[in-house]
Amino acid sequence: MQTVIRTYSGKGAKELFDVLEKRASDVEEMLRSIKGLVSYTLARSGDGGFSVTVCEDKAGVEESVQKAKEWIAKNAGNTGAGAPQISAGSVLVHVK
């Protein structure tokens, strides 16, 4: 399994997470279309938030990054949030 963490902070990040919270069902629908999706978590932090996506393989993680980018551009581009800091890697332990 592979995972990617996208962290949004700084200008517009809080507003972005306001939009994501209001449109949570749309976000969930978009993510469920990703082949090999294992889990997804969206969390708010002090100055924005982060998402954690786990997929069966690297292709799923890459698809999730692209779809998230497209969804934000289309639905929350007016927030002014910058590109996220992205961390990705192989899953060592996954508990559900």
Side-chain angles (χ1 to χ4, degrees):
M1 288 190 295
Q2 298 288 311
T3 190
V4 63
I5 301 169
R6 291 183 294 277
T7 304
Y8 299 85
S9 60
K11 181 179 183 265
K14 183 181 178 311
E15 293 79 6
L16 169 61
F17 274 75
D18 291 343
V19 172
L20 291 168
E21 185 174 18
K22 287 177 189 167
R23 306 275 309 268
S25 61
D26 295 339
V27 172
E28 182 178 340
E29 181 181 339
M30 179 265 300
L31 287 160
R32 290 194 181 278
S33 72
I34 296 168
K35 185 178 178 189
L37 179 72
V38 174
S39 65
Y40 176 79
T41 301
L42 183 66
R44 196 181 283 274
S45 63
D47 64 344
F50 59 92
S51 67
V52 180
T53 307
V54 179
C55 294
E56 292 174 358
D57 56 27
K58 191 173 180 178
V61 166
E62 290 172 352
E63 181 182 356
S64 78
V65 170
Q66 187 59 38
K67 285 192 173 198
K69 180 179 177 180
E70 291 169 0
W71 192 95
I72 290 169
K74 180 179 178 184
N75 298 286
N78 63 339
T79 62
Q85 176 183 346
I86 297 177
S87 301
S90 298
V91 175
L92 300 178
V93 176
H94 181 77
V95 178
K96 36 181 199 176

